[in-house]
């Protein structure tokens, strides 16, 4: 029997996700499976909903975790809000904005696209021009673009969707639980995230939240939501007081999610954001003092995901394989247009720590020097330490 046991290395996860898991969350995963309509299980689901409201900063009743990964949350928001023929404006400034575009296309919407430069946020002036020329129903945009490491400033987006009465669909996959997401204050109608990044849980459930206006719009559609599984009007009958069977909810994943959310509550949202920001600043200070360059300009950097330019002449795959094989360290490569050009270093949830900052700087220094690219590790460590002390 022993030969068949799963044996895995203990990785340091500093890629775009999944990230490291707190021991309490692993422990929660081993709690016994109970039925999806068991009163004790329904209490767990209620608590998941309540704590997700705290993280999304919302009072939306239709807030819980969908089965599936972040992409399932994306598909749920798109499928519920958009009907064939609806005018939808999609912002694409990275790989995940493009995934949103592909999904909206499949709903037979009348879609317009704003193409932004990868590595920069979407220019709100372009959104305003589009709103002036067409009456859109929905604006779909990624808050934290994991492919580029850009955090989209929300002030102008929020002002414009309000002023023009356009519904706001927001991807918070790499922001929720790591940086501020103010669903109600921003007037977001549908938001989705994933469990495996800043929330600190394994992958497999997707936090979502729909405003009352969004649920009402889904209820009064001319045609039913094209996806039965992701239809919020059916899901809310399971999550809400009716308790109608919808699907066999993953009890173990929801235990883990609840424990991860409890850890967030114990830390406090603002403290958690401050931790993510401090560790991010320390990593960037270290990287830059070592002579490496960040892709994104300082004011638009995402504290949870760093994109570091790969120096000329350095082999991306060789360096990442070395980190994995020698240090058990996982970082991400570039996606789409940035493939081979950047490394993506995640600092989310339990993985956002001072220890990981220093570990990463030493490991990347070694990986680069083995390929003949020298960096100044002493200065990098010094700069990171100063930022951690600040
Ligand atoms: C911004 C963004 N949106 C959507 C997704 C899709 O999430 P998942 O891979 O959990 O399905 C990701 C995954 O990394 C992402 O970063």
């Amino acid at each position: 029997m022993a030969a068949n046991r799963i044996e895995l290395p203990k990785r340091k996860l500093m890629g775009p996700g999944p990230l490291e898991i707190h021991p309490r969350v692993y422990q929660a995963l081993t709690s016994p499976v109970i039925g999806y309509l068991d009163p004790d299980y329904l209490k767990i689901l209620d608590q998941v909903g309540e704590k997700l409201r705290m993280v999304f900063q919302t009072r939306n009743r239709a807030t819980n975790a969908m089965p599936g990964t972040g992409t399932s949350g994306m598909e749920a928001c798109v499928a519920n809000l958009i009907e064939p023929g609806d005018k939808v404006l999609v912002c694409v400034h990275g790989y995940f904005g493009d995934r949103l575009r592909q999904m909206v296309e499949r709903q037979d919407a009348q879609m317009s696209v704003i193409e932004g430069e990868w590595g920069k946020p979407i220019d709100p002036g372009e959104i305003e021009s589009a709103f002036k020329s067409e009456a859109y129903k929905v604006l779909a945009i990624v808050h934290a673009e994991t492919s580029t490491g850009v955090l989209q400033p929300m002030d102008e987006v929020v002002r414009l969707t309000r002023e023009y009465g356009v519904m706001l669909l927001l991807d918070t996959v790499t922001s929720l639980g790591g940086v501020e997401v103010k669903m109600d204050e921003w007037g977001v109608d549908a938001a989705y995230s994933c469990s495996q990044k800043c929330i600190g849980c394994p992958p497999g459930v997707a936090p979502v939240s729909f405003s009352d206006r969004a649920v009402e719009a889904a209820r009064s559609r001319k045609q039913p939501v094209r996806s039965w599984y992701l239809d919020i009007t059916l899901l809310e009958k399971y999550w809400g007081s009716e308790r109608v069977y919808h699907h066999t909810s993953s009890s173990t994943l929801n235990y883990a999610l609840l424990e991860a959310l409890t850890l967030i509550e114990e830390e406090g949202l603002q403290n958690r954001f401050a931790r993510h920001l401090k560790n991010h600043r320390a990593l960037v200070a270290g990287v830059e003092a070592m002579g490496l360059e960040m892709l994104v300009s300082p004011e638009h950097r995402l504290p949870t995901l760093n994109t570091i330019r790969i120096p000329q002449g350095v082999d991306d795959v060789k360096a990442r394989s070395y980190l994995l094989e020698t240090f058990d360290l996982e970082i991400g490569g570039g996606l789409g247009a940035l493939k081979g050009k950047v490394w993506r270093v995640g600092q989310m949830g339990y993985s956002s720590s001072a220890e990981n900052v220093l570990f990463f700087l030493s490991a990347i220094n070694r990986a680069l020097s083995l390929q003949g690219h020298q960096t100044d590790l002493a200065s990098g460590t010094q700069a990171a330490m100063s930022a951690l002390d600040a």
Side-chain angles (χ1 to χ4, degrees):
M1 283 307 285
N4 288 331
R5 280 182 52 187
I6 299 171
E7 277 179 30
L8 295 170
K10 194 173 179 308
R11 301 285 197 220
K12 264 236 174 286
L13 298 176
M14 292 187 75
L19 282 304
E20 286 164 27
I21 309 280
H22 193 286
R24 269 173 56 188
V25 176
Y26 275 130
Q27 206 175 2
L29 274 169
T30 63
S31 306
V33 168
I34 56 175
Y36 52 82
L37 286 176
D38 185 310
D40 281 314
Y41 186 61
L42 295 174
K43 276 189 214 148
I44 301 263
L45 283 192
D46 284 348
Q47 284 174 274
V48 166
E50 205 179 292
K51 289 185 203 285
L52 281 177
R53 279 182 205 101
M54 175 265 298
V55 182
F56 274 118
Q57 303 188 50
T58 184
R59 297 167 67 152
N60 290 340
R61 269 170 304 152
T63 303
N64 217 298
M66 314 275 312
T69 62
T71 307
S72 144
M74 187 190 280
E75 195 116 53
C77 290
V78 168
N80 280 283
L81 244 58
I82 298 165
E83 289 195 66
D86 280 349
K87 289 192 176 143
V88 181
L89 182 62
V90 184
C91 298
V92 179
H93 59 315
Y95 183 90
F96 293 101
D98 189 65
R99 185 174 291 187
L100 258 177
R101 180 191 63 71
Q102 293 176 44
M103 282 193 187
V104 170
E105 205 160 43
R106 287 178 186 219
Q107 300 296 329
D108 295 332
Q110 279 188 52
M111 180 178 66
S112 311
V113 176
I114 294 178
E115 293 273 2
E117 192 182 326
W118 286 38
K120 298 216 165 112
I122 291 288
D123 172 5
E126 287 201 45
I127 300 179
E128 183 149 34
S129 310
F131 283 0
K132 275 186 181 151
S133 63
E134 283 282 0
Y136 287 100
K137 176 179 170 188
V138 177
L139 171 76
I141 188 165
V142 177
H143 184 213
E145 193 29 276
T146 328
S147 60
T148 61
V150 168
L151 181 64
Q152 177 69 39
M154 288 303 291
D155 288 3
E156 279 298 281
V157 173
V158 165
R159 180 183 69 76
L160 291 167
T161 45
R162 281 236 166 80
E163 195 175 315
Y164 287 84
V166 178
M167 295 177 99
L168 180 55
L169 190 165
L170 192 65
D171 178 316
T172 67
V173 167
T174 301
S175 50
L176 192 74
V179 296
E180 199 88 73
V181 173
K182 296 180 171 174
M183 179 131 193
D184 286 0
E185 198 179 308
W186 295 347
V188 178
D189 288 283
Y192 59 89
S193 192
C194 70
S195 49
Q196 73 272 14
K197 298 192 199 258
C198 304
I199 300 289
C201 176
V205 273
V208 289
S209 184
F210 292 86
S211 69
D212 289 352
R213 164 167 92 152
V215 175
E216 206 35 63
R219 284 200 195 112
S220 51
R221 289 168 63 103
K222 291 185 229 68
Q223 294 174 16
V225 177
R226 285 182 166 185
S227 163
W228 189 96
Y229 197 47
L230 304 177
D231 184 339
I232 188 63
T233 67
L234 301 176
L235 271 162
E236 64 166 354
K237 293 195 170 108
Y238 175 48
W239 292 339
S241 54
E242 289 178 64
R243 302 302 191 188
V244 177
Y245 160 67
H246 178 270
H247 63 281
T248 306
S249 173
S250 170
S251 44
T252 43
L253 279 176
N254 276 299
Y255 304 149
L257 178 61
L258 180 56
E259 192 63 20
L261 293 168
T262 303
L263 283 163
I264 296 180
E265 194 173 48
E266 286 171 9
E267 181 174 9
L269 261 192
Q270 293 306 322
N271 293 338
R272 193 173 178 91
F273 299 154
R275 170 167 63 87
H276 280 78
L277 191 59
K278 180 178 249 192
N279 291 327
H280 156 73
R281 284 188 174 146
L283 189 130
V284 171
V287 158
E288 290 185 334
M290 280 168 70
L292 299 171
E293 259 181 69
M294 302 293 291
L295 174 76
V296 179
S297 62
E299 69 278 21
H300 296 127
R301 281 180 198 151
L302 179 56
T304 53
L305 193 283
N306 307 281
T307 38
I308 302 170
R309 288 187 194 275
I310 301 175
Q312 275 220 315
V314 170
D315 184 319
D316 165 28
V317 176
K318 208 163 136 188
R320 282 189 290 122
S321 307
Y322 169 76
L323 294 177
L324 197 68
E325 283 158 20
T326 313
F327 300 111
D328 269 319
L329 171 62
E330 179 187 286
I331 64 166
L335 283 179
L338 292 173
K339 191 165 190 280
K341 298 197 173 128
V342 294
W343 285 315
R344 294 184 303 145
V345 181
Q347 292 179 286
M348 304 184 229
Y350 197 45
S351 289
S352 166
S353 65
E355 174 197 322
N356 281 4
V357 169
L358 300 175
F359 181 70
F360 169 76
L361 295 177
S362 315
I364 201 74
N365 165 269
R366 186 72 186 143
L368 288 166
S369 77
L370 287 177
Q371 290 197 38
H373 185 94
Q374 302 309 325
T375 60
D376 183 354
L377 179 59
S379 300
T381 310
Q382 191 55 49
M385 291 280 197
S386 304
L388 288 169
D389 285 343

